């Protein structure tokens, strides 16, 4: 079951989960935990405008999400012009936005999903964006993924490979991506970068 399907299923069980929570059970049901996370996410504060003083009240474990939400509001669902919009921002803003989508796509469906979706347009920029925040191992892996994708495109055009070959060829990179989390915390690196470069993320 995919994440969206699970969310729909969980919300369909809202009343049952609430009843369980009101009972004497000591274990919090998985459905109720997921509901709590979803509701907290839906109710989070978002900033249409970010000022320097705002950062003083944002905890480290939320700062990346706050910055991404702010940047996502700037895109305003204008995904036809997303690349141009993002390119008009500071390098730090570009990095946080690109890294967020890279993580979301690869963690959900691997590098194949990342390259197949619109997020793939940022692939050539991501090695530098990752290095900007200090994620050198992720940056090196992203560079490897880019080179493999370029080679695949050439081989596909020449009729030397199939999409199935592409799926199989990316499995090891997906595994390497997840392993990078053992060496580098993308969340911590980004939070530290934002704290040290707040001026690059404020409006005006």
């Amino acid at each position: 079951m995919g994440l969206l399907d699970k969310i729909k299923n969980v919300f369909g069980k809202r009343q049952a989960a609430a009843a369980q929570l009101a009972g004497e059970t000591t274990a919090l049901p998985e459905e109720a935990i997921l509901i709590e996370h979803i509701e907290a996410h839906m109710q989070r504060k978002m900033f249409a405008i970010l000022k320097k003083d705002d950062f003083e009240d944002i905890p480290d474990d939320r700062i990346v999400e706050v910055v991404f939400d702010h940047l996502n509001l700037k895109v305003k669902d204008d995904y036809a012009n997303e690349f141009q919009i993002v390119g008009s921002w500071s390098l730090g803003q570009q990095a946080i936005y690109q890294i967020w989508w890279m993580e979301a796509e690869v963690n959900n469906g691997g590098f194949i999903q990342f390259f197949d979706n619109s997020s793939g347009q940022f692939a050539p920029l991501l090695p530098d964006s990752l290095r900007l925040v200090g994620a050198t191992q992720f940056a090196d892996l992203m560079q490897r993924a880019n080179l493999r994708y370029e080679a695949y495109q050439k081989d596909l055009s020449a009729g030397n490979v199939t999409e199935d070959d592409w799926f199989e060829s990316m499995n090891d990179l997906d595994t390497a991506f997840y392993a990078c989390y053992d060496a580098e915390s993308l969340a911590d690196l980004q939070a530290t970068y934002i704290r040290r470069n707040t001026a690059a993320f404020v409006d005006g």
Side-chain angles (χ1 to χ4, degrees):
M1 181 184 294
L3 178 59
L4 290 177
D5 290 332
K6 188 168 187 177
I7 289 173
K8 292 175 182 177
N9 187 44
V10 165
F11 273 100
K13 297 179 180 178
R14 252 182 110 90
Q15 293 181 338
Q20 286 179 303
L21 283 172
E24 297 180 355
T25 55
T26 57
L28 194 63
E30 179 187 358
E31 291 85 356
I33 295 173
L34 187 55
I35 286 173
E36 285 186 359
H37 283 297
I38 293 169
E39 290 185 341
H41 183 74
M42 296 291 288
Q43 296 170 10
R44 71 194 186 280
K45 182 178 180 180
M46 290 191 279
F47 295 80
I49 296 176
L50 263 179
K51 298 180 180 179
K52 184 177 180 180
D53 292 345
D54 292 327
F55 285 91
E56 297 177 4
D57 299 322
I58 301 171
D60 286 346
D61 63 354
R62 282 213 63 229
I63 196 167
V64 177
E65 180 183 44
V66 167
V67 169
F68 173 78
D69 282 342
H70 172 63
L71 297 173
N72 207 35
L73 288 174
K74 287 178 177 287
V75 175
K76 296 179 180 178
D77 294 329
D78 185 9
Y79 294 109
N81 297 301
E82 180 185 22
F83 191 83
Q84 290 75 17
I85 294 171
V86 174
S88 70
W89 300 341
S90 71
L91 291 178
Q93 289 173 315
Q94 292 182 50
I96 299 303
Y97 187 84
Q98 294 165 11
I99 292 170
W100 181 283
W101 280 116
M102 177 201 71
E103 279 197 276
E105 298 286 17
V106 177
N107 282 320
N108 187 49
F111 275 106
I112 289 173
Q113 178 171 306
F114 167 76
F115 282 110
D116 280 350
N117 288 341
S118 61
S119 53
Q121 66 188 323
F122 298 115
L125 306 176
L126 268 160
D128 286 342
S129 291
L130 288 159
R131 290 190 182 95
L132 183 67
V133 302
T136 56
Q137 293 198 31
F138 279 99
D140 291 344
L141 180 61
M142 190 68 236
Q143 188 64 52
R144 286 170 53 198
N146 283 342
L147 291 173
R148 191 170 299 183
Y149 181 69
E150 291 170 8
Y152 161 73
Q153 290 292 330
K154 291 179 181 178
D155 287 341
L156 185 65
S157 297
N160 297 328
V161 296
T162 66
E163 287 191 0
D164 288 340
D165 296 326
W166 163 238
F167 288 1
E168 292 181 9
S169 73
M170 298 303 287
N171 287 337
D172 65 313
L173 293 183
D174 292 342
T175 300
F177 181 86
Y178 308 135
C180 279
Y181 284 109
D182 294 330
E184 297 177 333
S185 171
L186 270 180
D188 289 346
L189 288 169
Q190 291 177 91
T192 298
Y193 180 85
I194 293 169
R195 290 290 187 203
R196 291 176 177 173
N197 301 274
T198 304
F201 297 95
V202 299
D203 296 306

